[in-house]
Amino acid sequence: MRIAVMGAGAVGCYYGGMLSRAGHQVMLIGRTQHVEAIREHGLLMDTAGFRAHIPVRASTEVSDIQGASLVLCCIKSSDTESAAAMMAPFVRPGATVLSLQNGVDNAKRLHAQLLRTVSPAVVYVAVEMIGPGHLKHHGRGELVVGPSAMSTEMIEDFVNAGVPVDLSDNVDGELWAKLILNCAYNAMSAITKLPYGLLFQNEGARELMRLVVHECLAVAQRESVAVPGDSWQGVERIAATMSGQFSSTAQDLMRGRRSEIDHLNGYIVRRGKSLGIHTPVNQTLYCIVKLLESAFTVIRR
Amino acid sequence: MRIAVMGAGAVGCYYGGMLSRAGHQVMLIGRTQHVEAIREHGLLMDTAGFRAHIPVRASTEVSDIQGASLVLCCIKSSDTESAAAMMAPFVRPGATVLSLQNGVDNAKRLHAQLLRTVSPAVVYVAVEMIGPGHLKHHGRGELVVGPSAMSTEMIEDFVNAGVPVDLSDNVDGELWAKLILNCAYNAMSAITKLPYGLLFQNEGARELMRLVVHECLAVAQRESVAVPGDSWQGVERIAATMSGQFSSTAQDLMRGRRSEIDHLNGYIVRRGKSLGIHTPVNQTLYCIVKLLESAFTVIRR
């Protein structure tokens, strides 16, 4: 299978690397820093199960996604429109396009630019780039997709490459379930610079996370989204399975990069406002992350 | 007048320094670092109006408050009980004891230990210690006290020393008014490491501060406290008059010290809980500051 990964960050490198390791022809599109390192040494994958330099093709040019029968969009939610506009001329007719992004509306936003079917995939993996072309995997790695998102052969290819794929006929609900976990952990981990496990050990933090979950579920309910499972058990599971992990928002802030917070707690706040639902804890967390981002700008001036 | 200042932090040094400069006999009780510097070079006061080394007596021994006819308690709210227990044997009968502290219940807490009248003074001053024995004053400096807190002569002495003293027959309400300003600014400034002016320029931050004020006023109302003036105008005034100031909570966190947050947003949360009033924004800010404090502990281990 020829696969293009748009966005060679931690998530893109993990799935691109796993598929490449299983023999698929993968092209990673990313920033110069990672692309150069990957071209020189391959992708260094530090996972729970193995550590290896995986040969993968890599490029800084979006046009190099051409010819792929599967395109994995692993860009930041804040870059969805701009990346889609760049990709549009190069996505092959008939190619499967998956959005492996945080937030609940990326497939729709990609669709609006690409004018073709884009399916969301809910991503559960704890990864980070710890150096140029160097991926650290802390745990998990499964995807959840809708019944028509991928062909049976494609799913088999993923499973054979060590990537479990769960099917769900309520993938919107699954995206919301993931969004709620992101809302509970991402901002708090970023603001406090604490990993999930230490956050969850703190009684006050657990109480805030409960309030966040409660606010999110109130918005979901008014959006007529049926969130599957028990969201609080999901929060507990994250603490248990990814205890050493810092959120992607934390990683972004530590590196002075703009985060996806507009599409996490910020999304809940915006939807809440338009639906007349108070979301004060999400709003506080959102506002603080935005202030921390703006502080970078102030310091850099 | 013989004056003892318990707690030679920024507030204690400011009022002690102003009174000493006006010819009063002042004894500052504080930590070794400041005491040694003050003994060697005097207290270096960097104010809007003057810069001078002010000779003041200083000691690390609480027993040296002995003989003072006026005791100014300028300790952190979190140290009130322990400091009062140390002071108790040395406060002269008939001495005036004032609490120049943040929070609304310090006079009561001091009274419980000292078993004598303690009057609160509401402090409006922007100061910080920028080095051993080196005080930086950014603006203001007035006190608000109840009608019976200080004798007429004492008030005259303060005014002559450049310390305006306003009388109020609703000093509890004044303490709450100050508490509300502290709740609006202290945690946010500490968490974002931003000064008041930059915080207030941010629309999201202003919205959070409005919510904080609203939650605090709801608690005050149920406590039957009449908060004087328009609290939101107070918030605006702080941004205008102390725009470059970082909150004391911010200064504490930057220096790895325990803050007074338990007696600011934490007080609102506790009172709110016992009165059945939701205070989610105060709770979020409070919890984050506590997590940032605990993170110091984690890092230091």
Side-chain angles (χ1 to χ4, degrees):
Chain A
M1 188 165 42
R2 266 184 79 177
I3 301 155
V5 176
M6 183 70 189
V11 167
C13 285
Y14 179 75
Y15 291 101
M18 292 298 280
L19 290 162
S20 183
R21 185 167 175 257
H24 297 285
Q25 190 183 321
V26 175
M27 168 63 76
L28 299 174
I29 310 293
R31 292 191 196 137
T32 312
Q33 181 198 26
H34 292 307
V35 166
E36 281 179 355
I38 292 167
R39 280 180 169 170
E40 200 162 339
H41 309 289
L43 171 69
L44 175 52
M45 292 185 77
D46 245 333
T47 78
F50 65 92
R51 182 190 156 94
H53 289 270
I54 310 291
V56 199
R57 292 198 299 167
S59 170
T60 58
E61 299 299 322
V62 179
S63 57
D64 286 331
I65 66 173
Q66 220 153 7
S69 56
L70 172 63
V71 180
L72 306 180
C73 293
C74 302
I75 51 192
K76 291 270 173 200
S77 294
S78 40
D79 297 332
T80 293
E81 277 77 15
S82 57
M86 290 192 289
M87 288 161 67
F90 307 110
V91 180
R92 194 172 95 178
T96 298
V97 184
L98 295 180
S99 157
L100 277 69
Q101 300 173 268
N102 283 327
V104 295
D105 60 359
N106 280 295
K108 201 167 68 179
R109 290 163 62 205
L110 286 166
H111 173 263
Q113 296 283 330
L114 297 175
L115 303 173
R116 57 187 301 134
T117 304
V118 178
S119 303
V122 193
V123 179
Y124 285 99
V125 68
V127 283
E128 61 177 318
M129 298 306 291
I130 57 174
H134 187 176
L135 173 78
K136 177 76 186 164
H137 169 250
H138 297 285
R140 302 179 67 172
E142 68 271 28
L143 299 178
V144 183
V145 298
S148 61
M150 299 165 77
S151 68
T152 315
E153 295 73 29
M154 219 171 248
I155 292 176
E156 258 173 40
D157 284 341
F158 271 63
V159 172
N160 290 336
V163 177
V165 178
D166 296 332
L167 293 184
S168 165
D169 50 15
N170 177 19
V171 80
D172 274 346
E174 298 283 350
L175 284 169
W176 268 85
K178 172 80 187 296
L179 173 69
I180 293 173
L181 298 180
N182 283 137
C183 288
Y185 279 106
N186 275 50
M188 297 255 289
S189 171
I191 295 165
T192 62
K193 300 192 179 78
L194 290 174
Y196 298 162
L198 281 177
L199 274 180
F200 194 81
Q201 276 173 31
N202 182 281
E203 190 187 331
R206 281 200 307 279
E207 202 176 321
L208 279 197
M209 290 195 268
R210 271 192 194 277
L211 292 171
V212 167
V213 168
H214 191 80
E215 292 177 3
C216 292
L217 287 172
V219 175
Q221 193 174 7
R222 282 287 290 280
E223 295 270 33
S224 303
V225 174
V227 179
D230 178 323
S231 291
W232 184 250
Q233 280 180 9
V235 169
E236 290 175 331
R237 189 171 172 218
I238 292 278
T241 58
M242 302 185 178
S243 94
Q245 177 81 2
F246 293 85
S247 70
S248 57
T249 310
Q251 294 174 40
D252 287 336
L253 289 202
M254 285 174 194
R255 283 154 201 176
R257 285 193 311 238
R258 196 179 156 204
S259 78
E260 294 185 304
I261 203 75
D262 284 333
H263 304 278
L264 306 177
N265 306 81
Y267 183 82
I268 296 294
V269 173
R270 283 196 305 283
R271 295 306 305 146
K273 277 194 179 165
S274 73
L275 296 164
I277 297 171
H278 286 290
T279 58
V281 180
N282 277 285
Q283 185 177 348
T284 307
L285 296 173
Y286 172 62
C287 174
I288 291 172
V289 172
K290 295 299 278 184
L291 283 166
L292 292 173
E293 284 183 8
S294 73
F296 282 129
T297 321
V298 171
I299 289 161
R300 280 179 174 174
R301 253 180 221 150
Chain B
M1 188 166 41
R2 268 185 78 177
I3 301 155
V5 176
M6 183 70 189
V11 166
C13 284
Y14 179 75
Y15 291 102
M18 292 297 280
L19 291 162
S20 183
R21 187 167 173 257
H24 297 285
Q25 190 183 321
V26 174
M27 168 62 77
L28 299 174
I29 310 293
R31 291 187 196 140
T32 312
Q33 180 198 27
H34 293 306
V35 166
E36 281 179 356
I38 292 166
R39 280 180 169 170
E40 199 161 338
H41 309 288
L43 172 68
L44 175 51
M45 292 185 78
D46 246 332
T47 78
F50 65 89
R51 181 189 157 93
H53 289 271
I54 310 291
V56 199
R57 293 200 296 169
S59 170
T60 58
E61 298 300 322
V62 178
S63 57
D64 286 330
I65 66 173
Q66 220 153 7
S69 55
L70 172 63
V71 179
L72 306 180
C73 293
C74 303
I75 49 189
K76 292 269 174 201
S77 294
S78 39
D79 298 332
T80 293
E81 276 77 14
S82 57
M86 289 191 289
M87 289 160 68
F90 307 110
V91 181
R92 195 172 94 178
T96 298
V97 183
L98 294 180
S99 156
L100 277 69
Q101 299 173 268
N102 284 326
V104 295
D105 60 358
N106 280 295
K108 202 168 67 181
R109 290 162 61 204
L110 285 166
H111 173 263
Q113 296 283 330
L114 297 174
L115 304 173
R116 54 188 302 136
T117 304
V118 178
S119 303
V122 192
V123 179
Y124 285 100
V125 69
V127 282
E128 62 178 317
M129 297 306 289
I130 57 175
H134 187 176
L135 173 78
K136 176 75 186 166
H137 169 251
H138 297 284
R140 301 180 66 173
E142 70 271 28
L143 298 178
V144 183
V145 298
S148 60
M150 299 165 77
S151 68
T152 315
E153 296 72 32
M154 219 171 246
I155 293 176
E156 258 173 42
D157 284 340
F158 272 63
V159 172
N160 290 335
V163 177
V165 178
D166 295 332
L167 292 185
S168 166
D169 49 13
N170 178 19
V171 79
D172 274 346
E174 298 283 350
L175 284 169
W176 268 85
K178 172 78 187 294
L179 173 69
I180 292 173
L181 298 180
N182 283 138
C183 287
Y185 279 107
N186 275 49
M188 297 255 289
S189 171
I191 294 165
T192 63
K193 300 192 179 80
L194 290 174
Y196 297 161
L198 282 176
L199 274 180
F200 193 81
Q201 277 172 32
N202 183 280
E203 191 187 331
R206 280 201 307 279
E207 202 177 321
L208 279 197
M209 289 195 268
R210 271 192 193 278
L211 293 171
V212 167
V213 168
H214 191 80
E215 290 176 4
C216 292
L217 287 172
V219 175
Q221 194 174 8
R222 282 287 291 280
E223 294 271 33
S224 304
V225 175
V227 179
D230 178 323
S231 291
W232 184 250
Q233 280 180 9
V235 170
E236 289 175 332
R237 189 171 173 219
I238 292 279
T241 58
M242 302 185 177
S243 92
Q245 177 82 1
F246 293 85
S247 69
S248 59
T249 310
Q251 294 174 41
D252 287 336
L253 289 203
M254 285 174 195
R255 284 155 199 173
R257 287 195 310 239
R258 195 180 158 205
S259 78
E260 293 185 306
I261 203 72
D262 283 334
H263 303 279
L264 305 178
N265 306 80
Y267 183 81
I268 296 294
V269 173
R270 283 196 305 282
R271 293 307 303 146
K273 278 196 177 163
S274 75
L275 296 163
I277 297 172
H278 287 289
T279 59
V281 180
N282 276 286
Q283 186 178 347
T284 307
L285 295 172
Y286 173 63
C287 174
I288 291 172
V289 172
K290 295 300 280 186
L291 283 166
L292 291 173
E293 285 183 7
S294 74
F296 282 128
T297 322
V298 170
I299 289 161
R300 279 179 174 174
R301 250 179 224 149

